[in-house]
């Protein structure tokens, strides 16, 4: 790693290295509840809506007692709509309320409410993990990528998970756009925070500019 790259990595981690899960109050571990909450958050982030609104809506759902697939499935559709609205998630509240209920029931029926079953079924194949995740209603390729970027910290067989949005952010701050070279710039435990920071820079020109300024200060 060059000295300039080292400064860039430090600026990224210090300034923008907070994952979506951390923002939503999820203490991510390889256990059923936090993995499910990450699935919910990834689904909310999949819509064309500001990330801050999705995070707020996820917090509202968990605070309202919908932090497990059984609790989500047991909640009425109307209750889910109301809580999503309280979290600011109004544009897609009705369709998302349906998707969350259907997804919770799918998880209960297919994996007994435990996403580690999906992990076992994928058997170390990251592409397979992504395909299985996309079976959940409302979770397309972008949502699956969000989930795997964050879950690579607790599902090491998914690491390094460097998707197109991460590469885009790398280009904006002057880091290598080759996924394998990019992954080598940090240790594996830092990958979720590093990729989160790069996605932030991909989505926010101001963040990318600030990182470049700090790197060359």
């Amino acid at each position: 790693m060059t000295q300039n790259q080292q400064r860039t990595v430090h600026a990224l981690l210090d300034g923008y290295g907070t994952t979506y899960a951390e923002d939503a109050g999820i203490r991510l571990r390889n256990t059923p509840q936090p993995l499910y909450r990450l699935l919910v958050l990834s689904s909310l982030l999949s819509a064309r809506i500001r990330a801050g609104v999705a995070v707020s809506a996820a917090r509202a759902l968990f605070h309202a007692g919908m932090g497990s697939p059984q609790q989500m499935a047991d909640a009425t559709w109307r209750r889910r709509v109301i809580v999503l609205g309280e979290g600011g998630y109004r544009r897609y509240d009705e369709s998302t309320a349906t998707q969350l209920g259907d997804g919770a029931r799918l998880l209960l029926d297919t994996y007994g409410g435990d996403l580690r079953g999906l992990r076992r079924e994928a058997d170390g194949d990251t592409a397979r993990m992504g395909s299985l995740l996309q079976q959940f209603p409302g979770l397309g390729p972008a949502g699956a990528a969000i989930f795997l970027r964050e879950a690579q910290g607790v599902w090491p067989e998914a690491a390094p998970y460097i998707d197109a949005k991460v590469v885009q952010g790398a280009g904006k701050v002057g880091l290598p756009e080759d996924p394998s070279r990019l992954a080598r710039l940090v240790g594996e435990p830092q990958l979720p925070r590093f990729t989160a920071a790069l996605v932030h820079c991909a989505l926010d020109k101001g963040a990318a500019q600030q990182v470049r300024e700090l790197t060359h200060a």
Side-chain angles (χ1 to χ4, degrees):
M1 186 191 319
T2 68
Q3 195 172 53
N4 198 52
Q5 288 174 341
Q6 191 173 44
R7 285 197 295 267
T8 301
V9 169
H10 285 158
L12 284 163
L13 293 175
D14 290 346
Y16 301 100
T18 302
T19 65
Y20 288 131
E22 288 170 337
D23 276 340
I26 301 168
R27 297 182 62 183
L28 196 55
R29 299 184 301 278
N30 185 36
T31 54
Q33 188 179 81
L35 289 171
Y36 174 68
R37 292 184 176 199
L38 177 60
L39 183 72
V40 169
L41 176 60
S42 300
S43 179
L44 296 174
L45 287 163
S46 297
R48 300 175 70 86
I49 199 163
R50 288 189 300 108
V53 173
V55 167
S56 176
R59 282 183 169 274
L61 287 166
F62 306 152
H63 183 71
M66 287 177 261
S68 75
Q70 190 64 61
Q71 290 170 331
M72 187 69 76
D74 288 345
T76 65
W77 175 83
R78 183 62 185 160
R79 177 63 176 153
R80 291 193 293 266
V81 169
I82 290 171
V83 174
L84 286 166
E86 290 171 351
Y89 205 90
R90 296 184 180 87
R91 184 177 174 189
Y92 303 99
D93 52 356
E94 295 189 356
S95 60
T96 300
T98 298
Q99 290 167 354
L100 289 172
D102 291 346
R105 285 184 283 272
L106 177 63
L107 180 57
L108 289 165
D109 292 344
T110 308
Y111 302 111
D114 188 347
L115 279 165
R116 292 176 299 182
L118 180 149
R119 181 188 184 186
R120 286 191 295 272
E121 185 173 334
D123 194 26
D125 185 334
T126 305
R128 177 69 172 151
M129 287 182 193
S131 296
L132 292 171
L133 285 165
Q134 289 177 61
Q135 293 179 359
F136 289 96
L139 200 76
I146 292 167
F147 183 95
L148 290 170
R149 277 201 307 265
E150 308 238 338
Q152 66 182 314
V154 294
W155 288 2
E157 68 272 29
Y161 191 83
I162 308 288
D163 63 297
K165 189 63 71 176
V166 175
V167 170
Q168 181 185 345
K172 290 190 174 185
V173 296
L175 290 178
E177 295 180 60
D178 174 73
S180 60
R181 290 179 62 201
L182 196 57
R184 289 196 294 269
L185 295 178
V186 297
E188 203 166 277
Q190 294 176 304
L191 277 169
R193 294 181 58 236
F194 182 54
T195 55
L198 288 171
V199 168
H200 196 109
C201 289
L203 299 173
D204 184 346
K205 290 188 293 186
Q209 178 64 31
Q210 186 176 44
V211 169
R212 289 197 301 270
E213 289 173 356
L214 288 169
T215 300
H216 298 291

